[in-house]
Amino acid sequence: MEELVEEVLLRFPPADPSRLIAAALVCRRWRSLLAGPGFRRRFRELHRSPPLLGLLCNSPTGACLLPACAFRPPGDGLLRGWRALDARHGRVLLRWDPASSSSGGSCPPLVVWDPITDRRKDLPPLLWAQYPYSWNAAVLCSAGAAGCDHLDCCGGHFLVVVVGTNSKEMFAHVYSSESGAWSEATSARHHNDSVDFAPSALVGNALYFAFQMGATVLEYDLGTREMAVIRLPPRAFDWQRIALATTHDGCCLGFATADRSAIYLWKREASSQGGDAHWAQTRVIELAKLLPAGTLSAFSDVVGFVDSIGLIYVRTADGLFTVDLKSSQVTKVSKDTGFSGIFPYMSFHTPVSCYLVASNMLPFVSG
């Protein structure tokens, strides 16, 4: 019975999309069922949290997508000449870096990429009012925090937010795919720091970007388009860097940082008295008890934080590791330590057509 087949297929684990692809190849009736919008909607509503499909890493030759499951993007996964800036709501934001590419020709400076369909949207050049000292950018669904559950919005409209600093002020520009244009700049008082090329965090209706000196965070309100500076807690030790994140419930800003032997998790909490929010340390993870012997001989550095599934990425002299906050399980992801940026890519991957099945996943079905 078709309705029973659908109930079984709905319970396939989203973190292993090759099982759905294999099911789509059984017969035309199953393929039609899996490719239908009703199945895709029910599948996302049942599982809720998009699975981690891969890890975008910036290498000297370009961005590459390290797979976290059977999913493989079209091609070899290496985006030569591109740098990843952000990955959110099923989209990836890339910037063109001619210094890392040997190919000729001109490329758009910013592109929004869907790794599943391999579709790219070239953004029009952003004309700076004044050359920026530093800048960073983020991509997100244009519906905002209250208007979308982000389970199936990767094909809809999106926003790209660019923030930066120049000699006079902080500034922000917003691109809307619906209008196809950049907004006029909004600005705020400069406070003598530079925006870091590190993953941003989305909490409610606000985006957060780290500054390079590690003492403050830039807050951009998507509703009012105003900017503010938030101070981090005083340093009790020599932090290497911070990885911004949201808390598990998505309501508060948090961050992770590390010294040589431990990871420290912090959360920004609202005051019960109605005053300003304050920072509270929520957890300390002793790395020496989790990582292999000799791994911490030189340094440890938090380079990524997937708050929705509780994964922290730690770079050491021995390679790149993940630490599961729930089970304390440690997994070595790569022996390479030369990545300049790490961006988890999370999205649901269900077969949309037989062409997508054949091009993306067929080599992995037999395994």
Side-chain angles (χ1 to χ4, degrees):
M1 297 175 64
E2 186 168 315
E3 58 267 27
L4 295 183
V5 171
E6 182 176 6
E7 291 299 323
V8 173
L9 297 178
L10 283 170
R11 285 155 177 81
F12 278 21
D16 187 5
S18 63
R19 297 191 185 188
L20 284 178
I21 304 300
L25 296 176
V26 169
C27 62
R28 290 184 179 180
R29 185 165 62 91
W30 283 24
R31 183 160 59 247
S32 176
L33 171 66
L34 289 166
F39 178 86
R40 297 201 305 272
R41 182 182 65 254
R42 291 191 64 196
F43 187 78
R44 288 163 168 80
E45 290 175 350
L46 176 65
H47 296 284
R48 300 300 298 176
S49 181
L52 178 67
L53 297 185
L55 193 66
L56 280 152
C57 304
N58 289 327
S59 68
T61 56
C64 60
L65 184 59
L66 300 179
C69 60
F71 168 74
R72 299 295 188 278
D76 58 4
L78 178 60
L79 303 168
R80 293 175 177 83
W82 293 95
R83 288 285 185 268
L85 291 178
D86 195 22
R88 185 180 289 109
H89 300 158
R91 305 169 179 89
V92 175
L93 180 63
L94 303 169
R95 69 178 177 96
W96 177 244
D97 183 12
S100 62
S101 174
S102 58
S103 60
S106 60
C107 288
L110 290 176
V111 163
V112 174
W113 175 47
D114 183 343
I116 293 178
T117 62
D118 200 28
R119 293 175 180 170
R120 303 187 185 189
K121 172 63 176 179
D122 298 346
L123 272 60
L126 178 58
L127 302 177
W128 308 102
Q130 185 177 2
Y131 187 80
Y133 287 170
S134 67
W135 65 278
N136 198 357
V139 62
L140 67 153
C141 168
S142 63
C148 184
D149 58 12
H150 306 305
L151 296 180
D152 192 21
C153 63
C154 58
H157 288 297
F158 61 87
L159 301 176
V160 173
V161 179
V162 173
V163 299
T165 63
N166 54 39
S167 60
K168 298 180 180 180
E169 58 192 6
M170 303 185 300
F171 63 86
H173 294 267
V174 179
Y175 171 83
S176 169
S177 65
E178 191 168 6
S179 65
W182 291 96
S183 70
E184 294 294 329
T186 57
S187 60
R189 186 171 60 87
H190 190 269
H191 79 298
N192 298 321
D193 202 347
S194 298
V195 180
D196 194 9
F197 265 134
S200 58
L202 176 65
V203 182
N205 210 36
L207 277 167
Y208 296 88
F209 299 85
F211 281 107
Q212 291 181 2
M213 294 179 65
T216 53
V217 173
L218 190 155
E219 179 187 58
Y220 179 79
D221 191 300
L222 293 163
T224 64
R225 298 198 172 182
E226 295 179 348
M227 288 178 287
V229 175
I230 297 173
R231 291 199 171 275
L232 294 175
R235 297 187 181 194
F237 49 84
D238 185 19
W239 293 345
Q240 298 289 338
R241 63 182 300 169
I242 67 169
L244 295 175
T246 61
T247 54
H248 184 68
D249 57 8
C251 297
C252 300
L253 177 66
F255 73 90
T257 188
D259 62 8
R260 183 172 172 177
S261 61
I263 297 175
Y264 302 85
L265 303 182
W266 293 77
K267 173 183 177 182
R268 191 167 184 255
E269 298 179 334
S271 174
S272 59
Q273 306 298 325
D276 294 336
H278 65 279
W279 290 97
Q281 185 173 293
T282 58
R283 188 172 175 183
V284 178
I285 302 171
E286 299 292 340
L287 291 175
K289 299 178 181 179
L290 302 177
L291 296 178
T295 302
L296 300 176
S297 58
F299 70 93
S300 62
D301 190 14
V302 176
V303 291
F305 192 175
V306 190
D307 44 278
S308 61
I309 57 177
L311 277 185
I312 293 181
Y313 288 87
V314 181
R315 178 172 52 189
T316 73
D318 194 44
L320 182 66
F321 294 83
T322 60
V323 178
D324 190 307
L325 295 179
K326 297 178 182 178
S327 65
S328 297
Q329 181 180 357
V330 173
T331 304
K332 190 171 185 177
V333 178
S334 174
K335 64 180 180 180
D336 194 352
T337 62
F339 301 128
S340 59
I342 292 178
F343 303 85
Y345 173 65
M346 304 177 69
S347 183
F348 285 104
H349 180 37
T350 54
V352 178
S353 68
C354 59
Y355 301 106
L356 183 60
V357 169
S359 62
N360 268 13
M361 297 295 298
L362 189 57
F364 304 95
V365 169
S366 60

